Amino acid sequence: MLRITGGKIYDPASGINGEIRTLYIEDGRFVASGEGGRTIDAAGMIVFPGGVDVHTHVAGGAINFARAMTPEDHRRTQAFIRSQTRRSGLGGMAPTTFATGYLYAGMGFTTVNEAAVPVLSARHTHEELSDIPIVDKSSLVLMANNELLLDQLDAGEYERARSILAWYIRAAGSWGIKAVNPGGVAAWKWGGNAGQLTETVDGFRHVTPGTIVASLARMCHDLNLPHPLHLHCNNLGAPGNVSTTLETLRHLEGHRAHIAHSQYHAYGGDDWDTMRSATSDLADWFNTHDNLTTDAGAVLFGDTVTITADGPWQHLLYRLTGRKWGNLDVENETGCGIVPYTYRPGHLVNAVQWAAGLELLLLIEDPWKVFLSTDHPNGGCFWRYPEILELLMCADYRQECLRQLPDRIRSRILLPEIDREYSLYDVATAMSAGPAQALGLPRKGSLAVGCDADVVIYEEDDNIRRMFSHPRYVIKSGEIVIEDGDIRETPDGREFLVQPHCDPDTETFIRPLFEDCYTMSFDNYPVEPHRIPRAEIHHRPASP
Amino acid sequence: MGGKVTCTLGEVKNRADFIVYWGGNPAECHPRHFTKYTLMQKSRWLPRGRKDRTMVLVDIRETKSAKAADIFLQVRPGCDFELLSILRAMVRDEPVDPDAVAETGIAYDVLEDLVRRMKSCRFGCMFFGMGLSMTRGKHMNSAALLTLAAELNAFTKFVAMPMRGHGNVTGADVIMRWQTGYPFGITFNRGYPRYNPGEFSTVDVLVRGDCDAAFIIGADPGATMPQPAIDHLARIPTIVLDPHVTHTSRLARVHITTAPAGIAAPGTAYRMDEIPLPLKPALKSPYPTDEEIVRRIREAVATRPFWMPEDSPQMTTEQL
Ligand SMILES: [Zn+2]
């Protein structure tokens, strides 16, 4: 039994906004009452459900490629020194696995969603995820450029494609599906891209990015997946791309979806010289449609490394910057590109990106619809989230930051006119309750009885960045893992997997197609769930 | 420039109509490479298999692999970096010095033909072996080849991949990276990972005689390393885990026989393109697995006093 008394409770999932209540914890969950055990006196403190990151890149072939490409950053970053109970590691732009767990937990986050997993290397991703301590994990499998699935869509075989999708989700040990630049990454296999939603994808006869988006969103619904389609739209990063993004949203035909890192998809203008923020167009759509959630993909100034399955975009970024370029095309499934990048306040495009991320977080009115993210490490590293919270909670600080930017920026952004400030309740929603609900993760993002006892307790502080960077206590599944800035315990987290219904003949159907185009034996391909440590498997019957 | 523009082997199998092997002899060193991945396979885009592909071999001598090649280019030993730099210039239509071309041992018009083929193929792939990466110029040679592949993407699809071998060396590299940030050449002597190839690489540590014990799993440095390194291994307590008797096990203080991975021990191995493959043992072994031995040693070590001072900090932002 652990009791937390006297703290101001912020639990948006239960509608509790700053009331003083007592929390009771037993066997890793919240319970209604109890006696004995330890009591944390949280008088004068703020109590949140543990943070949930809806979209991050912390494990697998892509981030591990980025680690290989950035030794110069490892050498200048913070290092975790080993102890008898704690492993060593490095922080920085692409933190090592053990450090990833310590850094997330140290900031009060207790659940993270790895947003991009190829099936072919899913075994690797799970091995890395199990080496990330403390936090619970889920992952999304990359699907919008899978050639076996696209072939079926091309042939008009929707139901067959859906069975293949269900089979792949099970094979990858995933929690849902991610679509990256639908059709564009498949076209990149020949050096091309896909920018128009209604144009046939290179190498196919009928299928278009639009049909891929519509079909996948419908399949997520049919398969009754806990998380809807997680969508990285076409034309990421390009000036004027807001029209593509809005057209993509129309192609969803009312189905649910989560739009990833929408900052990168909210630009007006015709080219790099005229690029401007078009976040109000996108925010209007979110404010008037209830089938959608999004995460900001906010940008912070400084060094980072960009990682995405969007291979053609990364080729362009390499040519624009002349910096290192990593590319890894994954047979029949997806791609991946890596380019180190520095966001500079004096650079007009970067300044627009910085403003656009904050604008989306502030202009989308309902914090249940827009969540905190930097698309780690793309817009900035996850351990910099407290900087974003300070920008969201203090309009004065925002104005101060705006004064550091070139004057010409003002006509291209909306941020100077926005005076909204996030309340603590808004922060708890955008950082925990909202993403947990969107992910469909059971028992996360809430302090209600029966939920996982993941709690973060902050000492009230006028310095917002300091407050959110250094929680007084972090509790994971009822265990105090951080206390007074020290890592106390490093328990292993769980991994959430979903197993949708899959027609029994699917495997017989896929096998010959697979053997024709893959280089691995079919029987070795699916990840065996028993080889994923601490997996929590959720079976889902199909939607009626 | 840095980085690597690459793909998994299935992309080569399905799409590559132009393949270059540089400084390697796959016919003898990776005998299944041609048939499984690069030359003989048919695909929806290369329906005639070998006939739809062109293969170029670049090496300092005519190995058995030359028989499989459509074009063999014999580069003068030690001139790989120069040749790659000339190709990079030619790809960009920049002028090249005829004397420099002559130095490489390959005629200008042959290079012109090569560049034309590289730019006009649909999907090109360069594989490079130790004949490039371990000869004069070393990692600079690899970087030049990787840069050439990257730059060709301005014209067509082009990738490159090192030919790695020796069991699961890729797996060791992959896991060291996710746990420490670095692939090899790592020291933990300050309590956190630091990297400096040439200083902390195994061979350098042994040659200098810096370590006072060695623990060797699934490798046989006694067969390949320079004599001063081998002498040092014989001098210090060396422990070897290996299914077989090896050069190293003979000079070791302790040799623990282990079950061979993939035959009698399960696990995961990483292919040269970093794709993880599950190992499904076909036989039972009376010997323990490497994993079990390491775990038991670790448990035994954990009962001893911890080597770092009680009041060590959790973290440092000032790496030394
Ligand atoms: Zn992302």
Side-chain angles (χ1 to χ4, degrees):
Chain A
M1 168 61 55
L2 176 65
R3 264 185 312 273
I4 302 166
T5 61
K8 272 193 229 165
I9 307 283
Y10 292 85
D11 183 11
S14 314
I16 299 172
N17 183 3
E19 291 167 36
I20 293 176
R21 293 199 182 189
T22 301
L23 297 176
Y24 302 90
I25 297 169
E26 193 146 75
D27 296 332
R29 307 259 184 109
F30 296 109
V31 292
S33 63
E35 292 297 320
R38 179 173 173 183
T39 299
I40 291 177
D41 177 7
M45 298 188 204
I46 289 163
V47 182
F48 272 28
V52 178
D53 200 333
V54 75
H55 185 112
T56 184
H57 303 281
V58 289
I63 187 84
N64 215 31
F65 196 163
R67 292 183 188 113
M69 276 175 56
T70 55
E72 69 282 4
D73 181 67
H74 304 333
R75 201 165 290 197
R76 68 181 181 203
T77 188
Q78 69 210 75
F80 286 87
I81 297 171
R82 74 153 293 179
S83 72
Q84 253 165 314
T85 52
R86 214 178 43 247
R87 307 284 297 262
S88 65
L90 300 174
M93 306 187 315
T96 58
T97 48
F98 307 126
T100 298
Y102 306 149
L103 286 165
Y104 260 118
M107 196 174 61
F109 274 64
T110 46
T111 307
V112 300
N113 180 46
E114 161 56 56
V117 184
V119 191
L120 191 65
S121 57
R123 187 172 275 106
H124 171 178
T125 309
H126 291 295
E127 289 189 351
E128 269 199 49
L129 286 174
S130 78
D131 262 356
I132 298 177
I134 306 178
V135 296
D136 289 336
K137 281 100 33 171
S138 57
S139 66
L140 305 177
V141 64
L142 291 157
M143 271 301 145
N145 295 282
N146 183 297
E147 287 158 31
L148 296 192
L149 189 136
L150 294 191
D151 281 344
Q152 295 307 312
L153 289 180
D154 211 37
E157 296 280 349
Y158 173 83
E159 274 158 33
R160 192 56 100 174
R162 188 179 60 201
S163 303
I164 290 177
L165 179 72
W167 186 84
Y168 269 122
I169 292 170
R170 297 169 73 109
S174 289
W175 184 248
I177 66 166
K178 164 92 172 293
V180 172
N181 186 357
V185 183
W188 170 242
K189 299 290 177 69
W190 295 120
N193 197 356
Q196 296 295 327
L197 277 137
T198 50
E199 236 168 57
T200 309
V201 175
D202 271 5
F204 295 86
R205 283 168 302 142
H206 307 292
V207 76
T208 65
T211 49
I212 299 172
V213 167
S215 311
L216 290 177
R218 196 178 135 204
M219 288 175 195
C220 289
H221 170 265
D222 292 354
L223 293 173
N224 194 17
L225 298 180
H227 183 51
L229 176 63
H230 196 106
L231 179 56
H232 157 145
C233 299
N234 300 73
N235 285 332
L236 172 137
N241 64 7
V242 73
S243 57
T244 309
T245 311
L246 291 169
E247 201 188 334
T248 305
L249 300 182
R250 283 190 282 274
H251 273 88
L252 289 168
E253 295 162 358
H255 285 297
R256 288 175 63 214
H258 177 84
I259 308 303
H261 40 70
S262 45
Q263 178 277 127
Y264 288 104
H265 304 274
Y267 308 140
D270 303 312
D271 52 33
W272 297 110
D273 293 329
T274 57
M275 183 172 140
R276 58 179 176 78
S277 160
T279 51
S280 65
D281 300 355
L282 205 51
D284 284 349
W285 186 284
F286 280 99
N287 286 334
T288 51
H289 291 79
D290 287 332
N291 58 326
L292 298 173
T293 54
T294 186
D295 62 274
V299 155
L300 289 164
F301 296 120
D303 289 325
T304 193
V305 55
T306 65
I307 303 176
T308 169
D310 202 334
W313 165 254
Q314 294 298 76
H315 179 232
L316 178 69
L317 198 59
Y318 150 70
R319 299 196 69 186
L320 286 171
T321 61
R323 293 182 68 169
K324 296 179 192 179
W325 175 34
N327 178 83
L328 174 60
D329 293 334
V330 179
E331 60 206 59
N332 316 306
E333 292 183 7
T334 181
C336 146
I338 294 145
V339 180
Y341 194 79
T342 305
Y343 293 97
R344 295 188 171 87
H347 187 295
L348 214 61
V349 169
N350 295 162
V352 167
Q353 293 178 309
W354 175 82
L358 299 171
E359 287 168 13
L360 285 164
L361 282 157
L362 293 161
L363 292 173
I364 299 173
E365 289 150 12
D366 184 354
W368 287 93
K369 286 185 180 173
V370 59
F371 313 135
L372 184 64
S373 87
T374 53
D375 186 16
H376 165 80
N378 286 294
C381 299
F382 67 80
W383 42 266
R384 297 181 66 189
Y385 286 171
E387 295 176 44
I388 302 176
L389 295 176
E390 185 172 26
L391 287 159
L392 294 175
M393 294 187 73
C394 312
D396 288 348
Y397 176 60
R398 271 200 315 263
Q399 293 299 339
E400 197 184 307
C401 292
L402 278 164
R403 282 194 285 277
Q404 317 292 318
L405 303 183
D407 269 347
R408 330 172 263 155
I409 181 89
R410 295 195 160 253
S411 60
R412 296 159 183 265
I413 58 175
L414 307 165
L415 198 59
E417 282 77 59
I418 302 174
D419 50 18
R420 179 176 166 200
E421 291 184 335
Y422 267 47
S423 64
L424 286 169
Y425 194 66
D426 290 340
V427 173
T429 312
M431 195 162 85
S432 176
Q437 187 190 63
L439 284 168
L441 283 173
R443 311 186 310 274
K444 293 294 179 192
S446 171
L447 303 172
V449 168
C451 289
D452 287 343
D454 301 344
V455 191
V456 49
I457 304 176
Y458 305 101
E459 204 113 38
E460 217 161 350
D461 189 339
D462 290 336
N463 184 329
I464 288 164
R465 189 188 302 194
R466 186 169 62 201
M467 178 176 117
F468 283 108
S469 300
H470 304 288
R472 178 68 190 271
Y473 299 97
V474 179
I475 295 161
K476 168 67 189 17
S477 297
E479 197 172 357
I480 299 173
V481 290
I482 307 282
E483 188 169 351
D484 288 329
D486 272 351
I487 302 165
R488 290 279 193 250
E489 300 291 337
T490 58
D492 290 316
R494 283 169 296 164
E495 231 204 283
F496 299 105
L497 275 58
V498 69
Q499 294 202 339
H501 171 77
C502 183
D503 294 333
D505 75 328
T506 308
E507 202 154 296
T508 322
F509 178 78
I510 294 181
R511 184 183 283 269
L513 303 177
F514 181 98
E515 285 171 349
D516 195 43
C517 62
Y518 277 87
T519 51
M520 184 193 271
S521 116
F522 185 68
D523 297 316
N524 282 339
Y525 182 73
V527 178
E528 310 86 332
H530 70 264
R531 287 182 41 141
I532 301 175
R534 300 166 297 279
E536 184 177 306
I537 299 170
H538 292 250
H539 297 273
R540 303 287 280 206
S543 289
Chain B
M1 171 63 197
K4 180 166 77 175
V5 177
T6 191
C7 64
T8 67
L9 287 162
E11 285 297 301
V12 180
K13 165 183 152 172
N14 293 338
R15 295 175 208 265
D17 58 349
F18 188 77
I19 290 150
V20 180
Y21 286 100
W22 194 306
N25 179 12
E28 290 181 283
C29 303
H30 295 82
R32 306 259 284 147
H33 218 251
F34 292 155
T35 47
K36 281 191 82 174
Y37 309 119
T38 56
L39 296 185
M40 308 315 290
Q41 291 279 343
K42 294 176 180 170
S43 78
R44 81 158 88 169
W45 294 293
L46 303 164
R48 299 183 304 155
R50 181 67 185 89
K51 289 198 190 76
D52 285 328
R53 306 183 197 249
T54 303
M55 198 271 260
V56 178
L57 180 73
V58 185
D59 209 343
I60 57 166
R61 73 180 81 83
E62 198 169 335
T63 61
K64 277 201 178 145
S65 297
K67 282 195 195 66
D70 298 297
I71 299 168
F72 171 59
L73 303 182
Q74 190 159 3
V75 59
R76 189 164 291 154
C79 288
D80 296 278
F81 183 82
E82 289 77 0
L83 179 55
L84 285 161
S85 304
I86 288 166
L87 288 172
R88 284 181 59 199
M90 290 175 71
V91 163
R92 284 189 271 189
D93 290 323
E94 283 168 13
V96 292
D97 176 1
D99 292 342
V101 174
E103 273 291 297
T104 66
I106 300 171
Y108 181 81
D109 56 342
V110 173
L111 295 184
E112 216 171 22
D113 175 64
L114 179 65
V115 167
R116 189 185 50 75
R117 288 172 187 271
M118 282 177 150
K119 286 163 89 165
S120 61
C121 70
R122 285 199 75 197
F123 187 114
C125 182
M126 287 191 278
F127 292 95
F128 59 102
M130 297 210 287
L132 182 75
S133 59
M134 290 297 172
T135 53
R136 180 177 166 265
K138 289 193 171 179
H139 64 279
M140 292 304 293
N141 294 346
S142 312
L145 182 138
L146 291 167
T147 306
L148 173 63
E151 289 172 350
L152 279 162
N153 281 273
F155 305 94
T156 187
K157 182 79 186 181
F158 227 100
V159 296
M161 199 184 302
M163 296 286 282
R164 304 184 74 173
H166 298 293
N168 194 14
V169 62
T170 308
D173 173 321
V174 165
I175 293 176
M176 290 311 281
R177 252 152 57 206
W178 88 53
Q179 295 199 343
T180 73
Y182 306 119
F184 58 84
I186 304 158
T187 180
F188 293 95
N189 64 2
R190 293 211 174 105
Y192 59 88
R194 292 184 305 143
Y195 173 62
N196 201 15
E199 184 181 7
F200 304 140
S201 314
T202 317
V203 61
D204 303 289
V205 171
L206 288 171
V207 166
R208 286 196 310 271
D210 273 359
C211 57
D212 51 19
F215 185 51
I216 294 164
I217 307 172
D220 192 11
T224 53
M225 281 196 179
Q227 195 58 43
I230 295 171
D231 292 344
H232 190 65
L233 280 175
R235 215 159 26 232
I236 57 175
T238 292
I239 304 162
V240 169
L241 308 193
D242 207 295
H244 313 290
V245 172
T246 64
H247 290 90
T248 319
S249 77
R250 284 200 190 92
L251 59 81
R253 206 74 62 86
V254 178
H255 173 199
I256 300 172
T257 306
T258 51
I263 296 169
T268 305
Y270 284 74
R271 210 163 68 176
M272 68 164 71
D273 54 359
E274 300 194 358
I275 294 305
L277 302 169
L279 300 179
K280 297 176 176 169
L283 302 173
K284 274 204 160 50
S285 167
Y287 300 109
T289 63
D290 292 321
E291 189 192 2
E292 187 187 338
I293 297 292
V294 174
R295 198 180 58 242
R296 284 168 59 185
I297 291 176
R298 203 180 69 108
E299 282 164 11
V301 169
T303 63
R304 308 294 290 268
F306 188 54
W307 63 278
M308 290 193 54
E310 196 55 55
D311 54 353
S312 298
Q314 286 206 343
M315 205 195 277
T316 176
T317 48
E318 312 258 318
Q319 289 189 37
L320 299 165

mmCIF file of all heavy atoms in Angstrom, chain A residues 55-57 114-116 178 180 230 232 236 260-261 295 307-309 374-378, ligand 1:
data_model
loop_
_atom_site.group_PDB
_atom_site.id
_atom_site.type_symbol
_atom_site.label_atom_id
_atom_site.label_comp_id
_atom_site.label_asym_id
_atom_site.label_seq_id
_atom_site.Cartn_x
_atom_site.Cartn_y
_atom_site.Cartn_z
ATOM 1 N N HIS A 55 3.925 9.580 -29.913
ATOM 2 C CA HIS A 55 4.692 9.426 -31.165
ATOM 3 C C HIS A 55 6.156 9.741 -30.912
ATOM 4 O O HIS A 55 6.546 10.899 -30.760
ATOM 5 C CB HIS A 55 4.119 10.364 -32.232
ATOM 6 C CG HIS A 55 4.757 10.204 -33.577
ATOM 7 N ND1 HIS A 55 4.083 9.698 -34.666
ATOM 8 C CD2 HIS A 55 6.010 10.461 -34.012
ATOM 9 C CE1 HIS A 55 4.904 9.658 -35.719
ATOM 10 N NE2 HIS A 55 6.080 10.118 -35.337
ATOM 11 N N THR A 56 6.961 8.709 -30.885
ATOM 12 C CA THR A 56 8.388 8.913 -30.657
ATOM 13 C C THR A 56 9.158 7.812 -31.373
ATOM 14 O O THR A 56 8.584 6.806 -31.773
ATOM 15 C CB THR A 56 8.683 8.914 -29.137
ATOM 16 O OG1 THR A 56 10.064 9.206 -28.925
ATOM 17 C CG2 THR A 56 8.369 7.571 -28.496
ATOM 18 N N HIS A 57 10.455 8.035 -31.555
ATOM 19 C CA HIS A 57 11.305 7.028 -32.213
ATOM 20 C C HIS A 57 12.457 6.707 -31.275
ATOM 21 O O HIS A 57 13.413 7.455 -31.184
ATOM 22 C CB HIS A 57 11.807 7.548 -33.553
ATOM 23 C CG HIS A 57 10.691 7.947 -34.469
ATOM 24 N ND1 HIS A 57 9.979 7.019 -35.184
ATOM 25 C CD2 HIS A 57 10.119 9.140 -34.727
ATOM 26 C CE1 HIS A 57 9.023 7.640 -35.877
ATOM 27 N NE2 HIS A 57 9.089 8.926 -35.603
ATOM 28 N N GLU A 114 6.468 3.730 -29.748
ATOM 29 C CA GLU A 114 7.444 3.753 -30.844
ATOM 30 C C GLU A 114 6.629 3.715 -32.150
ATOM 31 O O GLU A 114 5.919 2.757 -32.419
ATOM 32 C CB GLU A 114 8.379 2.547 -30.735
ATOM 33 C CG GLU A 114 9.138 2.159 -31.990
ATOM 34 C CD GLU A 114 9.966 3.277 -32.591
ATOM 35 O OE1 GLU A 114 10.807 3.840 -31.900
ATOM 36 O OE2 GLU A 114 9.745 3.586 -33.796
ATOM 37 N N ALA A 115 6.804 4.776 -32.969
ATOM 38 C CA ALA A 115 5.816 5.008 -34.019
ATOM 39 C C ALA A 115 6.150 4.429 -35.382
ATOM 40 O O ALA A 115 5.368 4.599 -36.308
ATOM 41 C CB ALA A 115 5.572 6.516 -34.154
ATOM 42 N N ALA A 116 7.266 3.746 -35.560
ATOM 43 C CA ALA A 116 7.578 3.291 -36.920
ATOM 44 C C ALA A 116 8.398 2.012 -36.915
ATOM 45 O O ALA A 116 9.599 2.053 -36.704
ATOM 46 C CB ALA A 116 8.317 4.382 -37.686
ATOM 47 N N LYS A 178 0.938 2.412 -38.787
ATOM 48 C CA LYS A 178 1.409 3.739 -39.143
ATOM 49 C C LYS A 178 1.500 3.796 -40.652
ATOM 50 O O LYS A 178 2.035 2.879 -41.278
ATOM 51 C CB LYS A 178 2.803 3.925 -38.522
ATOM 52 C CG LYS A 178 3.633 5.072 -39.079
ATOM 53 C CD LYS A 178 3.410 6.324 -38.259
ATOM 54 C CE LYS A 178 4.340 7.461 -38.634
ATOM 55 N NZ LYS A 178 5.724 7.223 -38.315
ATOM 56 N N VAL A 180 3.130 6.083 -43.601
ATOM 57 C CA VAL A 180 4.088 7.164 -43.862
ATOM 58 C C VAL A 180 4.106 7.472 -45.338
ATOM 59 O O VAL A 180 4.362 6.590 -46.153
ATOM 60 C CB VAL A 180 5.511 6.767 -43.417
ATOM 61 C CG1 VAL A 180 6.528 7.815 -43.861
ATOM 62 C CG2 VAL A 180 5.578 6.605 -41.910
ATOM 63 N N HIS A 230 -2.619 5.765 -37.866
ATOM 64 C CA HIS A 230 -1.642 6.773 -37.422
ATOM 65 C C HIS A 230 -0.962 7.254 -38.699
ATOM 66 O O HIS A 230 -0.225 6.504 -39.334
ATOM 67 C CB HIS A 230 -0.651 6.089 -36.474
ATOM 68 C CG HIS A 230 0.170 7.024 -35.651
ATOM 69 N ND1 HIS A 230 -0.040 7.238 -34.315
ATOM 70 C CD2 HIS A 230 1.245 7.794 -35.972
ATOM 71 C CE1 HIS A 230 0.863 8.091 -33.840
ATOM 72 N NE2 HIS A 230 1.656 8.451 -34.827
ATOM 73 N N HIS A 232 1.121 9.760 -41.300
ATOM 74 C CA HIS A 232 2.112 10.774 -41.692
ATOM 75 C C HIS A 232 1.776 11.086 -43.149
ATOM 76 O O HIS A 232 1.930 10.237 -44.023
ATOM 77 C CB HIS A 232 3.503 10.159 -41.468
ATOM 78 C CG HIS A 232 4.668 10.721 -42.231
ATOM 79 N ND1 HIS A 232 5.935 10.797 -41.682
ATOM 80 C CD2 HIS A 232 4.826 11.183 -43.497
ATOM 81 C CE1 HIS A 232 6.798 11.271 -42.573
ATOM 82 N NE2 HIS A 232 6.145 11.512 -43.687
ATOM 83 N N LEU A 236 5.410 15.812 -46.657
ATOM 84 C CA LEU A 236 5.945 16.332 -45.391
ATOM 85 C C LEU A 236 6.998 17.406 -45.674
ATOM 86 O O LEU A 236 7.830 17.260 -46.571
ATOM 87 C CB LEU A 236 6.600 15.203 -44.579
ATOM 88 C CG LEU A 236 7.380 15.624 -43.325
ATOM 89 C CD1 LEU A 236 7.062 14.695 -42.178
ATOM 90 C CD2 LEU A 236 8.887 15.654 -43.567
ATOM 91 N N ALA A 260 -0.020 12.395 -37.480
ATOM 92 C CA ALA A 260 1.268 12.514 -36.792
ATOM 93 C C ALA A 260 1.925 13.849 -37.110
ATOM 94 O O ALA A 260 1.779 14.376 -38.213
ATOM 95 C CB ALA A 260 2.185 11.364 -37.210
ATOM 96 N N HIS A 261 2.643 14.381 -36.131
ATOM 97 C CA HIS A 261 3.486 15.578 -36.274
ATOM 98 C C HIS A 261 2.928 16.588 -37.283
ATOM 99 O O HIS A 261 3.551 16.919 -38.279
ATOM 100 C CB HIS A 261 4.923 15.209 -36.629
ATOM 101 C CG HIS A 261 5.086 14.074 -37.611
ATOM 102 N ND1 HIS A 261 4.764 14.181 -38.930
ATOM 103 C CD2 HIS A 261 5.529 12.802 -37.424
ATOM 104 C CE1 HIS A 261 5.021 13.016 -39.524
ATOM 105 N NE2 HIS A 261 5.472 12.164 -38.640
ATOM 106 N N ASP A 295 -0.671 14.970 -33.023
ATOM 107 C CA ASP A 295 0.384 15.441 -32.129
ATOM 108 C C ASP A 295 1.143 16.524 -32.868
ATOM 109 O O ASP A 295 1.168 16.557 -34.098
ATOM 110 C CB ASP A 295 1.294 14.297 -31.686
ATOM 111 C CG ASP A 295 2.013 13.637 -32.835
ATOM 112 O OD1 ASP A 295 1.430 12.717 -33.458
ATOM 113 O OD2 ASP A 295 3.146 14.036 -33.138
ATOM 114 N N ILE A 307 14.858 11.528 -38.458
ATOM 115 C CA ILE A 307 14.693 10.109 -38.783
ATOM 116 C C ILE A 307 13.278 9.903 -39.268
ATOM 117 O O ILE A 307 12.344 10.200 -38.537
ATOM 118 C CB ILE A 307 14.807 9.246 -37.515
ATOM 119 C CG1 ILE A 307 16.114 9.475 -36.811
ATOM 120 C CG2 ILE A 307 14.630 7.783 -37.835
ATOM 121 C CD1 ILE A 307 16.183 8.699 -35.526
ATOM 122 N N THR A 308 13.112 9.389 -40.444
ATOM 123 C CA THR A 308 11.759 9.099 -40.879
ATOM 124 C C THR A 308 11.759 7.995 -41.921
ATOM 125 O O THR A 308 12.759 7.769 -42.593
ATOM 126 C CB THR A 308 11.060 10.360 -41.440
ATOM 127 O OG1 THR A 308 9.844 9.976 -42.087
ATOM 128 C CG2 THR A 308 11.934 11.111 -42.424
ATOM 129 N N ALA A 309 10.627 7.305 -42.021
ATOM 130 C CA ALA A 309 10.462 6.314 -43.088
ATOM 131 C C ALA A 309 10.301 7.015 -44.438
ATOM 132 O O ALA A 309 10.280 6.367 -45.480
ATOM 133 C CB ALA A 309 9.247 5.441 -42.802
ATOM 134 N N THR A 374 7.509 16.155 -30.170
ATOM 135 C CA THR A 374 8.449 16.784 -31.097
ATOM 136 C C THR A 374 8.747 15.821 -32.240
ATOM 137 O O THR A 374 9.678 16.039 -32.996
ATOM 138 C CB THR A 374 9.790 17.108 -30.404
ATOM 139 O OG1 THR A 374 10.270 15.907 -29.778
ATOM 140 C CG2 THR A 374 9.635 18.200 -29.361
ATOM 141 N N ASP A 375 7.959 14.699 -32.305
ATOM 142 C CA ASP A 375 8.317 13.636 -33.236
ATOM 143 C C ASP A 375 9.784 13.254 -32.964
ATOM 144 O O ASP A 375 10.584 13.160 -33.874
ATOM 145 C CB ASP A 375 8.120 14.106 -34.681
ATOM 146 C CG ASP A 375 8.337 12.992 -35.695
ATOM 147 O OD1 ASP A 375 8.345 11.825 -35.295
ATOM 148 O OD2 ASP A 375 8.515 13.313 -36.886
ATOM 149 N N HIS A 376 10.084 13.066 -31.691
ATOM 150 C CA HIS A 376 11.472 12.805 -31.278
ATOM 151 C C HIS A 376 12.168 11.825 -32.212
ATOM 152 O O HIS A 376 11.607 10.796 -32.502
ATOM 153 C CB HIS A 376 11.512 12.231 -29.852
ATOM 154 C CG HIS A 376 12.835 11.610 -29.511
ATOM 155 N ND1 HIS A 376 13.909 12.371 -29.129
ATOM 156 C CD2 HIS A 376 13.263 10.320 -29.536
ATOM 157 C CE1 HIS A 376 14.956 11.566 -28.919
ATOM 158 N NE2 HIS A 376 14.598 10.324 -29.172
ATOM 159 N N PRO A 377 13.368 12.072 -32.656
ATOM 160 C CA PRO A 377 14.167 13.284 -32.408
ATOM 161 C C PRO A 377 14.011 14.347 -33.500
ATOM 162 O O PRO A 377 14.807 15.291 -33.535
ATOM 163 C CB PRO A 377 15.589 12.730 -32.405
ATOM 164 C CG PRO A 377 15.553 11.584 -33.373
ATOM 165 C CD PRO A 377 14.157 11.022 -33.342
ATOM 166 N N ASN A 378 12.986 14.220 -34.352
ATOM 167 C CA ASN A 378 12.932 15.061 -35.550
ATOM 168 C C ASN A 378 12.858 16.559 -35.281
ATOM 169 O O ASN A 378 13.596 17.338 -35.862
ATOM 170 C CB ASN A 378 11.762 14.632 -36.436
ATOM 171 C CG ASN A 378 12.063 13.331 -37.143
ATOM 172 O OD1 ASN A 378 12.943 13.278 -37.978
ATOM 173 N ND2 ASN A 378 11.360 12.272 -36.772
HETATM 174 ZN ZN ZN C 1 7.786 10.212 -36.507
#
